[in-house]
Amino acid sequence: MTQQILISTAAIFGLLAVIFGAFGAHALKKILSPEQLKSFEVGVRYQMYHAIVLLVLGFNSKQTSPAIYWCFTIGILLFSFSIYGLVLSEALEKKLRILGPITPIGGLLLAIGWGLLLLNVI
């Protein structure tokens, strides 16, 4: 995986995490229940954590396998973005239940990414 791709992906996810976090803290605070807001914040937090990891990996791109990149990237998309969809659809009273099973798949991919990272350095 090239350094440019890793850092660009990290920057996009980091930028979106800041935007979504601000959106949640201000605009969504008025329409979401405290529990929904908490769930939304979990999605933002995990997205930012993994954006930072991708950034660090970008500066060590020679040692980063494509599998780690894809696990983190797809994991973020499935985990965080499914949470955003679930929370927003529930707030609009049109809950997209199909997203429910996607969240743990994203979480599993994030965990696999961490495991691969561990194996990569051992």
Side-chain angles (χ1 to χ4, degrees):
M1 198 54 50
T2 69
Q3 183 178 36
Q4 184 178 9
I5 290 172
L6 281 159
I7 294 174
S8 296
T9 304
I12 291 167
F13 281 136
L15 172 68
L16 290 174
V18 170
I19 291 169
F20 294 161
F23 184 64
H26 300 288
L28 294 180
K29 193 173 188 176
K30 298 170 186 170
I31 64 168
L32 297 181
S33 70
E35 185 178 307
Q36 291 170 326
L37 192 56
K38 227 177 183 180
S39 293
F40 192 88
E41 289 169 352
V42 166
V44 172
R45 190 170 42 246
Y46 274 72
Q47 181 176 334
M48 183 58 85
Y49 291 159
H50 291 89
I52 293 167
V53 170
L54 286 169
L55 182 64
V56 171
L57 292 174
F59 290 110
N60 297 296
S61 58
K62 292 178 185 174
Q63 298 173 341
T64 303
S65 76
I68 296 170
Y69 168 82
W70 286 112
C71 281
F72 283 145
T73 299
I74 295 170
I76 291 168
L77 291 171
L78 295 180
F79 183 80
S80 292
F81 284 73
S82 67
I83 290 175
Y84 304 148
L86 281 167
V87 169
L88 293 173
S89 66
E90 184 179 345
L92 298 171
E93 297 179 9
K94 296 181 181 184
K95 190 169 184 178
L96 297 172
R97 295 190 188 278
I98 193 167
L99 295 177
I102 293 173
T103 307
I105 295 169
L108 180 61
L109 284 171
L110 294 173
I112 291 170
W114 283 104
L116 291 173
L117 181 58
L118 177 63
L119 289 174
N120 200 44
V121 297
I122 290 181

